[in-house]
Structures are given as C-alpha cells and as structure tokens.
Amino acid sequence: MDNVKIPTHVGIIMDGNGRWANLKGKERSFGHKEGSANVERVVEYAFNRGVKSLTLYAFSTENWARPKKEVDELMRLLKIYFTKFIKKIANNGIRLKVIGDVSVLTPELKKVIEKGEAKTQNNLEHTLNIAINYGGRQEIVHAVNELLKDGKQITIESISKALYTADCGEPDLIIRTGGEFRLSNFLLYQGAYSELYFTDVLWPDFNGEQLEKAFAEYGARNRRFGKI
Ligand code: IPE
Ligand code: IPE
Ligand code: MG
C-alpha cells in the first residue's frame, strides 16, 4: 500500500445516489443524504492519503432538469454540508472553493459558500473544489469570455489559466462511480490527459478501500501524453 503512486489532483463524478436508495426500497433523497455524508468520509481519506487537490462533481448544469423536489433537496443538503463541515475543513488545512456558476443559487446557500471560502482562503495544504451548477462547456465559455473582457489573447495556455481549477493543475485521475462510462460535462478541458477510472460501486458505498483500488490502477497506468 505504501508504494502506491498517489495522484496530485483527483476529480470524482459522484454518481449513483438515486439507484443506491432505490435498491434499498427507499426514495432517491435517502441516497442523496447518504451520498452527502460520504463526501466527508472520502475527503478525509483522500487528503490523509496525500492527495493535494480534490474536485467533486456535486450538481451539474444539467441537473436542474430534475424534479423540483429533488433539486431542492440537493440544495438543502449542500447548505447543510457547508454549514456542518466548514470548521473541520478549515482546521485541516483545506481551502474550500466552489466552482461553477454560483450566481443563480439561493442567497442562503451563496452566503454559506462565501463564508466557507473566506474562512479557508489561506489554507495551502489541500484544495477542495466542489462543483455546483458546473458544466465543462460552460466553464470553457466562461474562461474565454473573461479573457476577451480583459483584452487577452485566446491560447491553450490562457484558457487553462482562466479555468476554475487553474491553481490545482490538471486532474491526474478522474473517477466515476455508479457504473456509467461518460464524463457528463465534467472537467472537459483540463481532463484532456486525465486517467479515467470507472467503477460500478454506487457513490454512497464508495470508501477508502475503493479509493485505494483506483489509486492502484492509476499507478499501473502508463501516461504517455502522446509520446512513445
Ligand atoms: C449523483 O447521483 C448525484 C447527482 C447527480 C446530484 P444520482 O442522483 O445521479 O443517482 P443515480 O445516477 O440516479 O443513481
Ligand atoms: C453527473 O451525474 C453529475 C453529478 C454527479 C453531479 P448525472 O447522474 O447527472 O449524469 P448522467 O445524467 O447519468 O449523465
Ligand atoms: Mg446519476
């Protein structure tokens, strides 16, 4: 276990909450609740293991198309997460950053996010990016518009630097739980050379042991970046 190569920046598409609950004969919201509790566990495990930055996909720009009741529940859980864990995040040297278009979130949610980001802004050890109302295409468009506004040239590098995750570098490993083989609009630009790891394990069941499996596979991959 100790020879395992640990990726610097890990992205996770936390999928499968609804199916996890349905398999137990419960409502989808039960899965979201357990899924949000699992975020805390996996964050702690990954950072203790030496991961420097973690980018978690919590709510996509497409997820607004779900029934209002489910969207409201997800937003409620996010608010609880930020309120409940910010102290722990702050005390563990983690800088919290919410990525995506937060302008449309409720004032209450925006407030806890701003508070959490402000409280942790000087933490340098780890970065926790939580993607809310995030889409990879929207992120690229946003980056290009920022550059145009500042009269800057549009280049591969300038776009890279204008992305939400710029200071974390590109993700070395992107994990998707829940059995689907797609990116669903996650980290499209910075994921160009990420190693992809897919597992059938549903998000609420994804734990340290599962993360070790992903790291082991990551360590065994040969990253060529186009070379031979
Ligand atoms: C992931 O679980 C959480 C979000 C997308 C917000 P899902 O809610 O997509 O669960 P499944 O994929 O329907 O099981
Ligand atoms: C991706 O999961 C988004 C998040 C995990 C936040 P979805 O469940 O929304 O993805 P699709 O619809 O299966 O592609
Ligand atoms: Mg899903």
Side-chain angles (χ1 to χ4, degrees), residues 185-218:
N185 208 7
F186 187 55
L187 305 181
L188 298 184
Y189 193 95
Q190 55 277 65
Y193 270 99
S194 301
E195 293 299 324
L196 307 180
Y197 179 85
F198 298 96
T199 170
D200 285 337
V201 174
L202 303 169
W203 173 251
D205 289 332
F206 189 85
N207 55 19
E209 196 186 321
Q210 301 299 327
L211 204 55
E212 289 299 339
K213 276 193 191 173
F215 291 165
E217 187 167 319
Y218 168 79

Side-chain angles (χ1 to χ4, degrees), residues 31-173:
H32 291 315
K33 209 166 159 201
E34 192 51 39
S36 109
N38 197 39
V39 170
E40 203 241 330
R41 297 191 288 262
V42 172
V43 165
E44 186 172 356
Y45 190 95
F47 286 150
N48 279 338
R49 201 69 177 90
V51 169
K52 183 96 182 139
S53 306
L54 199 53
T55 301
L56 303 180
Y57 205 6
F59 192 90
S60 75
T61 44
E62 288 73 38
N63 286 146
W64 297 107
R66 294 188 180 196
K68 184 175 183 296
K69 190 174 151 234
E70 178 163 345
V71 171
D72 288 349
E73 176 64 7
L74 286 165
M75 293 300 150
R76 192 181 74 86
L77 289 169
L78 282 166
K79 201 177 128 213
I80 292 175
Y81 175 81
F82 293 125
T83 314
K84 211 166 148 190
F85 294 116
I86 198 59
K87 216 167 165 186
K88 193 169 170 192
I89 290 172
N91 292 339
N92 285 326
I94 302 165
R95 183 168 58 114
L96 172 75
K97 198 173 159 192
V98 171
I99 64 167
D101 178 10
V102 293
S103 69
V104 298
L105 304 180
T106 63
E108 297 80 42
L109 183 53
K110 271 194 280 197
K111 208 168 135 191
V112 288
I113 290 172
E114 274 164 28
K115 244 174 113 175
E117 288 183 336
K119 197 176 161 76
T120 62
Q121 64 180 342
N122 296 321
N123 286 348
L124 297 172
E125 230 172 299
H126 304 283
T127 300
L128 174 62
N129 297 310
I130 307 271
I132 303 175
N133 190 23
Y134 172 89
R137 290 172 174 174
Q138 288 82 349
E139 180 185 29
I140 297 166
V141 171
H142 173 261
V144 170
N145 278 323
E146 290 293 301
L147 294 168
L148 290 176
K149 219 165 53 188
D150 297 343
K152 297 216 178 101
Q153 265 208 310
I154 308 299
T155 65
I156 305 251
E157 287 73 26
S158 71
I159 294 176
S160 288
K161 280 190 195 142
L163 296 175
Y164 297 128
T165 60
D167 45 6
C168 298
E170 294 179 355
D172 301 289
L173 173 67

Side-chain angles (χ1 to χ4, degrees), residues 3-21:
N3 296 323
V4 171
K5 198 163 106 197
I6 302 295
T8 305
H9 180 185
V10 178
I12 308 183
I13 302 169
M14 309 183 289
D15 195 25
N17 292 348
R19 280 164 287 160
W20 184 87

